[in-house]
Short mmCIF file of all heavy atoms in Angstrom, two decimals:
data_model
loop_
_atom_site.label_atom_id
_atom_site.label_comp_id
_atom_site.label_asym_id
_atom_site.label_seq_id
_atom_site.Cartn_x
_atom_site.Cartn_y
_atom_site.Cartn_z
N ILE A 1 -5.78 3.25 1.60
CA ILE A 1 -5.58 2.90 2.96
C ILE A 1 -6.55 3.76 3.88
O ILE A 1 -6.59 4.97 3.58
CB ILE A 1 -4.19 3.01 3.46
CG1 ILE A 1 -3.31 2.06 2.64
CG2 ILE A 1 -4.03 2.75 4.94
CD1 ILE A 1 -1.71 2.15 3.02
N LEU A 2 -7.21 3.09 4.83
CA LEU A 2 -7.91 3.82 5.76
C LEU A 2 -7.07 3.90 7.09
O LEU A 2 -6.78 2.93 7.66
CB LEU A 2 -9.24 3.10 6.01
CG LEU A 2 -10.43 3.86 6.54
CD1 LEU A 2 -10.83 5.04 5.64
CD2 LEU A 2 -11.69 2.98 6.70
N TYR A 3 -6.66 5.06 7.50
CA TYR A 3 -5.74 5.27 8.72
C TYR A 3 -6.61 5.66 9.90
O TYR A 3 -7.43 6.49 9.97
CB TYR A 3 -4.71 6.25 8.45
CG TYR A 3 -3.55 5.67 7.56
CD1 TYR A 3 -3.39 6.15 6.29
CD2 TYR A 3 -2.63 4.78 8.04
CE1 TYR A 3 -2.37 5.71 5.50
CE2 TYR A 3 -1.63 4.35 7.27
CZ TYR A 3 -1.45 4.84 6.03
OH TYR A 3 -0.33 4.42 5.20
N ASP A 4 -6.26 5.02 11.07
CA ASP A 4 -6.62 5.49 12.35
C ASP A 4 -5.48 6.47 12.78
O ASP A 4 -4.59 6.63 12.15
CB ASP A 4 -6.69 4.21 13.30
CG ASP A 4 -7.43 4.53 14.56
OD1 ASP A 4 -7.86 5.75 14.77
OD2 ASP A 4 -7.62 3.60 15.38
N PHE A 5 -5.75 7.04 13.98
CA PHE A 5 -4.72 7.99 14.50
C PHE A 5 -4.22 7.43 15.90
O PHE A 5 -4.94 7.02 16.73
CB PHE A 5 -5.40 9.34 14.65
CG PHE A 5 -5.94 9.98 13.41
CD1 PHE A 5 -7.22 9.90 13.06
CD2 PHE A 5 -4.96 10.65 12.56
CE1 PHE A 5 -7.75 10.47 11.87
CE2 PHE A 5 -5.50 11.21 11.35
CZ PHE A 5 -6.83 11.07 11.01
N LYS A 6 -2.90 7.61 16.07
CA LYS A 6 -2.27 7.35 17.35
C LYS A 6 -2.82 8.23 18.48
O LYS A 6 -3.08 7.84 19.57
CB LYS A 6 -0.76 7.47 17.22
CG LYS A 6 -0.03 6.60 16.22
CD LYS A 6 1.44 6.93 16.19
CE LYS A 6 2.11 6.21 15.10
NZ LYS A 6 3.54 6.55 14.98
N SER A 7 -2.95 9.52 18.09
CA SER A 7 -3.42 10.50 18.97
C SER A 7 -4.57 11.31 18.31
O SER A 7 -4.53 11.52 17.19
CB SER A 7 -2.29 11.50 19.41
OG SER A 7 -2.83 12.63 20.14
N GLN A 8 -5.55 11.70 19.21
CA GLN A 8 -6.63 12.45 18.70
C GLN A 8 -6.42 13.93 18.81
O GLN A 8 -7.36 14.73 18.46
CB GLN A 8 -7.99 12.07 19.41
CG GLN A 8 -8.53 10.64 19.19
CD GLN A 8 -8.87 10.39 17.77
OE1 GLN A 8 -9.67 11.11 17.18
NE2 GLN A 8 -8.27 9.35 17.23
N ASN A 9 -5.22 14.30 19.21
CA ASN A 9 -4.85 15.77 19.23
C ASN A 9 -4.35 16.25 17.88
O ASN A 9 -3.66 15.53 17.15
CB ASN A 9 -3.89 16.00 20.26
CG ASN A 9 -4.32 15.63 21.71
OD1 ASN A 9 -5.48 15.85 22.06
ND2 ASN A 9 -3.45 15.07 22.54
N ASN A 10 -4.67 17.54 17.58
CA ASN A 10 -4.10 18.14 16.35
C ASN A 10 -4.35 17.39 15.14
O ASN A 10 -3.48 17.20 14.22
CB ASN A 10 -2.62 18.43 16.54
CG ASN A 10 -2.27 19.26 17.71
OD1 ASN A 10 -2.86 20.29 17.99
ND2 ASN A 10 -1.25 18.82 18.51
N LEU A 11 -5.53 16.90 14.97
CA LEU A 11 -6.01 16.33 13.69
C LEU A 11 -6.17 17.25 12.56
O LEU A 11 -6.54 18.31 12.79
CB LEU A 11 -7.30 15.44 13.97
CG LEU A 11 -7.25 14.33 15.04
CD1 LEU A 11 -8.62 13.64 15.08
CD2 LEU A 11 -6.16 13.34 14.71
N PRO A 12 -6.00 16.68 11.33
CA PRO A 12 -6.19 17.63 10.13
C PRO A 12 -7.75 17.96 10.03
O PRO A 12 -8.54 17.25 10.61
CB PRO A 12 -5.78 16.74 8.96
CG PRO A 12 -4.98 15.65 9.57
CD PRO A 12 -5.42 15.40 10.92
N PRO A 13 -8.09 19.06 9.43
CA PRO A 13 -9.44 19.52 9.31
C PRO A 13 -10.15 18.44 8.51
O PRO A 13 -9.54 17.80 7.56
CB PRO A 13 -9.29 20.77 8.53
CG PRO A 13 -7.92 21.29 8.73
CD PRO A 13 -7.04 20.10 8.88
N THR A 14 -11.39 18.18 8.83
CA THR A 14 -12.20 17.18 8.12
C THR A 14 -12.60 17.78 6.66
O THR A 14 -12.82 18.96 6.54
CB THR A 14 -13.56 16.88 8.85
OG1 THR A 14 -14.30 18.05 8.96
CG2 THR A 14 -13.25 16.18 10.17
N GLY A 15 -12.58 16.91 5.61
CA GLY A 15 -12.90 17.27 4.28
C GLY A 15 -11.86 17.97 3.54
O GLY A 15 -12.11 18.22 2.35
N GLN A 16 -10.69 18.37 4.09
CA GLN A 16 -9.70 19.05 3.39
C GLN A 16 -8.87 18.01 2.63
O GLN A 16 -8.28 17.10 3.20
CB GLN A 16 -8.81 19.80 4.33
CG GLN A 16 -7.79 20.65 3.67
CD GLN A 16 -6.90 21.29 4.70
OE1 GLN A 16 -5.88 20.72 5.23
NE2 GLN A 16 -7.17 22.47 5.04
N VAL A 17 -8.60 18.26 1.39
CA VAL A 17 -7.85 17.39 0.53
C VAL A 17 -6.37 17.84 0.78
O VAL A 17 -5.96 18.97 0.48
CB VAL A 17 -8.15 17.48 -0.98
CG1 VAL A 17 -7.20 16.63 -1.83
CG2 VAL A 17 -9.55 16.99 -1.20
N ARG A 18 -5.55 16.91 1.21
CA ARG A 18 -4.13 17.15 1.44
C ARG A 18 -3.24 16.35 0.46
O ARG A 18 -3.19 15.06 0.58
CB ARG A 18 -3.70 16.75 2.86
CG ARG A 18 -4.48 17.76 3.88
CD ARG A 18 -4.92 17.04 5.18
NE ARG A 18 -4.07 15.96 5.69
CZ ARG A 18 -4.51 14.80 6.15
NH1 ARG A 18 -5.84 14.55 6.04
NH2 ARG A 18 -3.69 13.98 6.54
N ASP A 19 -2.63 16.94 -0.45
CA ASP A 19 -1.80 16.22 -1.39
C ASP A 19 -0.46 15.91 -0.76
O ASP A 19 0.18 16.58 0.00
CB ASP A 19 -1.53 17.04 -2.58
CG ASP A 19 -2.67 16.94 -3.71
OD1 ASP A 19 -2.54 16.04 -4.46
OD2 ASP A 19 -3.62 17.76 -3.60
N LEU A 20 0.05 14.64 -1.08
CA LEU A 20 1.35 14.23 -0.55
C LEU A 20 2.48 14.98 -1.34
O LEU A 20 3.42 15.29 -0.68
CB LEU A 20 1.58 12.78 -0.90
CG LEU A 20 2.83 12.05 -0.38
CD1 LEU A 20 2.96 12.22 1.10
CD2 LEU A 20 2.93 10.69 -0.74
N ARG A 21 2.23 15.40 -2.46
CA ARG A 21 3.30 16.11 -3.25
C ARG A 21 2.76 17.52 -3.79
O ARG A 21 1.55 17.53 -4.11
CB ARG A 21 3.83 15.29 -4.45
CG ARG A 21 4.47 13.88 -4.08
CD ARG A 21 4.85 13.18 -5.22
NE ARG A 21 5.51 11.90 -4.96
CZ ARG A 21 4.85 10.79 -4.55
NH1 ARG A 21 3.49 10.82 -4.53
NH2 ARG A 21 5.55 9.73 -4.22
N ASN A 22 3.73 18.41 -3.82
CA ASN A 22 3.34 19.69 -4.38
C ASN A 22 3.33 19.61 -5.93
O ASN A 22 3.75 18.60 -6.48
CB ASN A 22 4.29 20.78 -3.95
CG ASN A 22 4.42 20.95 -2.49
OD1 ASN A 22 3.22 21.04 -1.82
ND2 ASN A 22 5.50 20.91 -1.84
N ALA A 23 2.85 20.68 -6.54
CA ALA A 23 2.77 20.61 -8.03
C ALA A 23 4.15 20.49 -8.65
O ALA A 23 4.20 19.80 -9.81
CB ALA A 23 2.08 21.95 -8.56
N ASP A 24 5.19 20.89 -8.05
CA ASP A 24 6.63 20.68 -8.65
C ASP A 24 7.21 19.31 -8.33
O ASP A 24 8.37 19.08 -8.65
CB ASP A 24 7.42 21.77 -8.15
CG ASP A 24 7.63 21.84 -6.62
OD1 ASP A 24 7.09 20.90 -5.98
OD2 ASP A 24 8.47 22.74 -6.20
N GLY A 25 6.40 18.37 -7.62
CA GLY A 25 6.96 17.15 -7.29
C GLY A 25 7.57 17.04 -5.94
O GLY A 25 7.95 15.83 -5.54
N THR A 26 7.87 18.06 -5.24
CA THR A 26 8.44 18.00 -3.97
C THR A 26 7.42 17.57 -2.86
O THR A 26 6.15 17.71 -3.09
CB THR A 26 9.04 19.44 -3.59
OG1 THR A 26 7.96 20.33 -3.52
CG2 THR A 26 10.09 19.83 -4.46
N SER A 27 7.89 17.03 -1.73
CA SER A 27 7.02 16.53 -0.76
C SER A 27 6.40 17.72 -0.01
O SER A 27 6.91 18.75 0.24
CB SER A 27 7.80 15.69 0.34
OG SER A 27 8.30 14.55 -0.24
N ASN A 28 5.09 17.49 0.30
CA ASN A 28 4.24 18.48 1.07
C ASN A 28 4.63 18.20 2.47
O ASN A 28 4.09 17.22 3.03
CB ASN A 28 2.73 18.31 0.71
CG ASN A 28 1.95 19.37 1.40
OD1 ASN A 28 2.25 19.78 2.52
ND2 ASN A 28 0.85 19.84 0.76
N LEU A 29 5.30 19.01 3.14
CA LEU A 29 5.84 18.76 4.48
C LEU A 29 4.70 18.55 5.47
O LEU A 29 4.74 17.71 6.36
CB LEU A 29 6.80 19.83 4.89
CG LEU A 29 7.45 19.67 6.32
CD1 LEU A 29 8.20 18.41 6.38
CD2 LEU A 29 8.34 20.88 6.70
N LEU A 30 3.64 19.50 5.41
CA LEU A 30 2.63 19.45 6.38
C LEU A 30 1.83 18.09 6.24
O LEU A 30 1.45 17.40 7.28
CB LEU A 30 1.63 20.61 6.18
CG LEU A 30 2.20 21.89 6.58
CD1 LEU A 30 1.14 23.06 6.25
CD2 LEU A 30 2.54 22.00 8.01
N THR A 31 1.64 17.58 4.99
CA THR A 31 0.97 16.32 4.85
C THR A 31 1.91 15.24 5.37
O THR A 31 1.42 14.32 5.98
CB THR A 31 0.70 16.03 3.27
OG1 THR A 31 -0.19 17.08 2.82
CG2 THR A 31 0.01 14.80 3.13
N PHE A 32 3.14 15.29 5.10
CA PHE A 32 4.11 14.30 5.56
C PHE A 32 4.05 14.15 7.12
O PHE A 32 4.03 13.16 7.67
CB PHE A 32 5.46 14.55 5.00
CG PHE A 32 6.41 13.36 5.11
CD1 PHE A 32 6.54 12.48 4.09
CD2 PHE A 32 7.21 13.18 6.30
CE1 PHE A 32 7.42 11.42 4.18
CE2 PHE A 32 8.06 12.11 6.34
CZ PHE A 32 8.19 11.27 5.32
N LEU A 33 4.04 15.27 7.75
CA LEU A 33 4.10 15.34 9.22
C LEU A 33 2.80 14.70 9.71
O LEU A 33 2.78 13.98 10.75
CB LEU A 33 4.23 16.74 9.69
CG LEU A 33 5.61 17.38 9.56
CD1 LEU A 33 5.56 18.89 9.97
CD2 LEU A 33 6.68 16.65 10.31
N SER A 34 1.62 15.02 9.17
CA SER A 34 0.34 14.47 9.62
C SER A 34 0.40 12.97 9.51
O SER A 34 -0.26 12.17 10.22
CB SER A 34 -0.75 15.03 8.81
OG SER A 34 -0.85 14.51 7.56
N MET A 35 1.15 12.30 8.59
CA MET A 35 1.21 10.92 8.32
C MET A 35 1.93 10.21 9.51
O MET A 35 1.63 8.99 9.72
CB MET A 35 1.98 10.53 7.05
CG MET A 35 1.32 10.94 5.79
SD MET A 35 2.45 10.83 4.36
CE MET A 35 2.82 9.05 4.39
N GLN A 36 2.63 10.86 10.29
CA GLN A 36 3.37 10.22 11.35
C GLN A 36 2.43 9.94 12.48
O GLN A 36 2.82 9.30 13.54
CB GLN A 36 4.50 11.14 11.83
CG GLN A 36 5.42 11.60 10.73
CD GLN A 36 5.68 10.62 9.61
OE1 GLN A 36 6.06 9.46 9.91
NE2 GLN A 36 5.59 11.02 8.35
N ASN A 37 1.14 10.44 12.51
CA ASN A 37 0.17 10.07 13.54
C ASN A 37 -0.78 8.97 12.98
O ASN A 37 -1.69 8.64 13.69
CB ASN A 37 -0.65 11.38 13.74
CG ASN A 37 -1.52 11.21 15.01
OD1 ASN A 37 -1.21 10.48 15.89
ND2 ASN A 37 -2.67 11.94 15.00
N HIS A 38 -0.38 8.30 11.91
CA HIS A 38 -1.15 7.30 11.34
C HIS A 38 -0.93 5.93 12.01
O HIS A 38 0.21 5.57 12.30
CB HIS A 38 -0.86 7.17 9.86
CG HIS A 38 -1.60 8.18 9.08
ND1 HIS A 38 -1.15 8.50 7.71
CD2 HIS A 38 -2.63 9.02 9.28
CE1 HIS A 38 -1.95 9.49 7.30
NE2 HIS A 38 -2.80 9.76 8.18
N VAL A 39 -2.06 5.16 12.09
CA VAL A 39 -2.00 3.66 12.43
C VAL A 39 -2.94 3.04 11.35
O VAL A 39 -3.97 3.40 11.15
CB VAL A 39 -2.50 3.33 13.81
CG1 VAL A 39 -2.56 1.82 14.13
CG2 VAL A 39 -1.65 4.04 14.90
N PHE A 40 -2.32 1.98 10.70
CA PHE A 40 -3.13 1.38 9.75
C PHE A 40 -4.41 0.76 10.28
O PHE A 40 -4.40 0.09 11.33
CB PHE A 40 -2.29 0.16 9.14
CG PHE A 40 -2.93 -0.68 8.02
CD1 PHE A 40 -2.69 -0.39 6.76
CD2 PHE A 40 -3.77 -1.67 8.33
CE1 PHE A 40 -3.39 -1.14 5.74
CE2 PHE A 40 -4.41 -2.48 7.36
CZ PHE A 40 -4.18 -2.12 5.98
N TRP A 41 -5.52 0.93 9.56
CA TRP A 41 -6.82 0.38 10.08
C TRP A 41 -7.46 -0.60 9.03
O TRP A 41 -7.92 -1.64 9.36
CB TRP A 41 -7.82 1.46 10.31
CG TRP A 41 -8.94 1.04 11.17
CD1 TRP A 41 -8.99 0.90 12.50
CD2 TRP A 41 -10.28 0.62 10.70
NE1 TRP A 41 -10.25 0.49 12.96
CE2 TRP A 41 -11.03 0.23 11.82
CE3 TRP A 41 -10.80 0.55 9.40
CZ2 TRP A 41 -12.30 -0.18 11.69
CZ3 TRP A 41 -12.18 0.08 9.33
CH2 TRP A 41 -12.82 -0.18 10.53
N ALA A 42 -7.30 -0.23 7.65
CA ALA A 42 -7.78 -1.12 6.60
C ALA A 42 -7.06 -0.57 5.31
O ALA A 42 -6.72 0.58 5.18
CB ALA A 42 -9.26 -1.11 6.48
N GLY A 43 -6.97 -1.50 4.31
CA GLY A 43 -6.35 -1.15 3.08
C GLY A 43 -6.26 -2.23 1.99
O GLY A 43 -6.37 -3.37 2.41
N THR A 44 -6.02 -1.82 0.82
CA THR A 44 -5.94 -2.81 -0.30
C THR A 44 -5.08 -2.19 -1.47
O THR A 44 -4.99 -0.97 -1.53
CB THR A 44 -7.22 -3.23 -0.75
OG1 THR A 44 -7.09 -4.16 -1.79
CG2 THR A 44 -8.03 -2.03 -1.26
N GLN A 45 -4.47 -3.08 -2.23
CA GLN A 45 -3.90 -2.61 -3.48
C GLN A 45 -4.71 -3.10 -4.68
O GLN A 45 -4.13 -3.21 -5.79
CB GLN A 45 -2.42 -3.15 -3.46
CG GLN A 45 -1.47 -2.47 -2.51
CD GLN A 45 -0.10 -3.01 -2.48
OE1 GLN A 45 0.18 -4.16 -2.32
NE2 GLN A 45 0.89 -2.12 -2.75
#
């Protein structure tokens, strides 16, 4: 999925790989929070 952003404020750094899950399988909270600024732009399965 290619996501747009609802707001252009406080965007994640460019080029930084942000995993959804930590190595132990738990959710990465910072990544999860950044997802709440998403708006679908394009995607496929």
